[in-house]
Amino acid sequence: MTEPGAPAADAAPREDTVDHVFGHVVADPYRWLEDASSERTARWLRVQEERFAASVRSRPERDTWYRRVTELADAGATKPPVPRGRLVFFEDQRPGDEHPVLYVAGPDDEVRALVDPARLDPSGRTVLGAWSVSPDGARLACQLSSDGLEEPALYVLDTATGAFVEGPVDRTRGPAPAWVPGRSGHDGFYYVRRLPPDGIPAGRPGFHRRVHFHRLGTDPDTDPVVHGDDTEPSAAYGVAVSGAGRWLTVSARVGHRPGNRMWLADLTAGPPEAPDLRPLAGGEGADSALEVGQDGTARVLTGSGADGRRLCVFDPADPGAEWTELIGERSGAVLQSVAALDGPGGRPVLVALWSRQACAELTLHEADSGRMTGRVPLPGRGTVFHMTARPEGGGDLWFSYTDYATAQRVFRYDAREGTVTEWPVPGRPAERTPGAGPRPPKIRTRFVEYSSTDGVRVTMALVVPPDVTDAELAGETAPSRPRPLLMRGYGGFGVQARPYYAPEVLAWVGAGGVFAEPHIRGGGERGERWHHAGRRESKQRSVDDFHAAGDWLTARGWTTPARLALTGTSNGGLLVGAAVVQRPDRYRAVNCAAPLLDMVRYERFGLGRAWVHEYGSAAVERELEWLLSYSPYHHVRPGVRYPAVLLSAFDNDTRVDPLHARKMCAALQHAAVDGAEIVLRREDLGHGARSRSEAAGYAADVLTFLGAAT
């Protein structure tokens, strides 16, 4: 055991690297670990691999966790269908599949695998990204990326044969391509592409994305730019074409600005290579989403003038026209999306998707007045994803549903009949439908409310094993005993902590533990005010809400500090990293995955420059002070009894550079006393999707580490 205050014999060397910024002396003793290519860093990483293997991989329970997570992952998952004429396209991950497969079903019930990542790459390291189908169903444009790099290449397939007919087009990270309906000489789509490295203007760092138009059969390197320039080098673009094919919409979020901007063009006014994009008036400084319906009405979901968003309409032929509110905000709910359908007798209706306490609600509204007329029943308190409808109109709406105990399933709502039925997945045997595999434990969920440090009330999901009594779950009696408790957090970018089926959570609860997920400020569970209350100068509130959740769970007897584990990824990694250095005595074990931890230098790496609107910039004196006040790396203190910390880093992460995890690991190993386990887990993948086996391996390592500590 290491003596208190003495670093381990193999601890990383500390250097006297210091920056003087706006009068602050900012020490950075492990800056040398930012260089992943140096032999010095490679030697240190080899030591970390040995530590990780001894800490996690050598434990016998690791195999048990892996088997259980793998079994639970075999529940499968399906996304709603995308109909195109007589064809139906859908993603389905069946039991045993390493990745979701994109299928096409025809009118004769024939089902074919159109894009199967496992067939394209048997190593399992290629994933299917965003995709879209041409209006006639003849062509599919899809993104494929490998090794977790999230720098996908774009391909075009013939849907009749499955053959690749165009591509790859590189550097196409962004939304799914937006097709222009086929007409003489106008077959093609809009897409987003990043400039090549040698095309970035000197002194103008950023991503330099552009919106292009690609005409089928032409060289993509000659595709014209239809939007984007060097004045907004960090803009992230969205692009869409209305179902009828007349209107092009473009949106842009710029890293240092709140909200997004939108443009609209009438594609009947000229060739698609040169649309006359006109900026929309209204919605400045707020997040908004625009689409033009089959009836020619422009609908905007906007946070302008509403905390939980509202639906406004206007005539797209007059982008400067005043917006008319159709559906106003509802107290305690956040408007997510709206679909237009044909109701009884062909009368148009709107289906609105809301979230309340991060759980979905579907409401029905008159299309002309916005008046609410009813609700669409859902299977429980969970999450609705991916609503789809026929682009040509009709009464059918498909949506996916999931919650903490239910694998993602698809339901069909018939607006004409007012019925909801589970959608039978074409080509999937009955014994392989979602939920037909190994049964998850009989968990139960309750949504509770607690007070944060400043008195603000915060909601939280509490998931418990079957032996917890009704009285205990309802809070009528104290829990019979404290249990190992896993608390997950995010609290950033307006992202909601929604219930979803997670094999690692079910495995933990099935083994007798409790899972908790607080809806802390910085997230979007209560709209934009809730988001803004936990960003930039107010970021500490997210951490305070997280601390308060742990205190509530401990005070109610669900757990103790010696049995309380934390987990968070990306912005959630920043959250749990800050929680650990601020209150190390309140937690026993932490998984800090793909984290931001050096908040003074985060802008220099990965996608950091795009996140200034969320955190602030170290190049601005006042904002540097915000960042320094909670930056986890800069608050590690020698001689502190830190909990066990697993830092999970992904070498191919193009969003959050793994240097954050490396530097934090070295700092904690130097500072920690009493033999605290501080280990680094590395994987040569990226920030996002991975194969079923890789996901199970990661989950098993995390559960092994946290379970052994609690």
Side-chain angles (χ1 to χ4, degrees), residues 647-699:
L647 290 132
S648 299
F650 307 107
D651 290 347
N652 293 338
D653 194 336
T654 55
R655 299 191 212 180
V656 179
D657 196 295
L659 68 87
H660 291 271
R662 294 195 296 267
K663 292 169 66 174
M664 188 71 170
C665 180
L668 286 171
Q669 287 177 351
H670 170 81
V673 298
D674 288 349
E677 274 195 290
I678 311 294
V679 295
L680 178 70
R681 182 191 189 276
R682 295 174 59 216
E683 196 170 14
D684 61 342
L685 288 171
H687 201 85
R690 59 205 61 221
S691 71
R692 167 179 165 274
S693 297
E694 289 162 338
Y698 168 66

Side-chain angles (χ1 to χ4, degrees), residues 290-518:
L290 167 69
E291 71 171 5
V292 181
Q294 197 70 16
D295 59 358
T297 300
R299 299 184 177 93
V300 184
L301 288 175
T302 181
S304 176
D307 187 39
R309 299 214 294 181
R310 60 197 179 111
L311 178 68
C312 298
V313 296
F314 68 92
D315 180 358
D318 182 9
E322 290 290 324
W323 296 358
T324 300
E325 181 177 285
L326 190 63
I327 300 177
E329 67 176 324
R330 298 168 62 208
S331 176
V334 180
L335 184 57
Q336 303 289 314
S337 61
V338 174
L341 302 175
D342 295 334
R347 186 176 68 255
V349 298
L350 300 177
V351 179
L353 170 61
W354 308 79
S355 66
R356 187 185 300 276
Q357 291 186 345
C359 295
E361 297 177 352
L362 288 174
T363 57
L364 296 170
H365 301 260
E366 294 177 346
D368 54 354
S369 68
R371 186 178 70 88
M372 181 175 164
T373 59
R375 295 175 180 269
V376 177
L378 296 175
R381 295 193 68 186
T383 301
V384 167
F385 289 119
H386 314 294
M387 295 199 310
T388 62
R390 298 184 186 278
E392 68 274 17
D396 296 321
L397 178 74
W398 294 269
F399 61 88
S400 61
Y401 173 86
T402 182
D403 57 37
Y404 289 115
T406 307
Q408 188 165 301
R409 299 151 60 190
V410 174
F411 292 84
R412 172 180 169 267
Y413 171 64
D414 186 334
R416 293 154 299 197
E417 301 294 330
T419 57
V420 177
T421 55
E422 187 166 355
W423 184 59
V425 183
R428 184 187 261 230
E431 65 273 12
R432 304 184 76 190
T433 56
R439 297 295 181 183
K442 299 293 185 181
I443 67 169
R444 288 179 297 162
T445 302
R446 179 188 171 209
F447 291 87
V448 300
E449 195 174 83
Y450 65 93
S451 291
S452 189
T453 54
D454 58 359
V456 169
R457 301 292 286 174
V458 183
T459 57
M460 174 167 56
L462 192 63
V463 184
V464 302
D467 63 329
V468 172
T469 68
D470 292 341
E472 289 174 318
L473 182 59
E476 298 168 358
T477 62
S480 60
R481 66 186 187 280
R483 299 170 183 261
L485 192 144
L486 178 59
M487 185 165 70
R488 183 172 66 196
Y490 190 80
F493 296 91
V495 174
Q496 297 193 31
R498 297 173 178 171
Y500 66 91
Y501 184 92
E504 65 275 14
V505 170
L506 286 168
W508 178 274
V509 178
V514 171
F515 173 77
E517 189 161 38

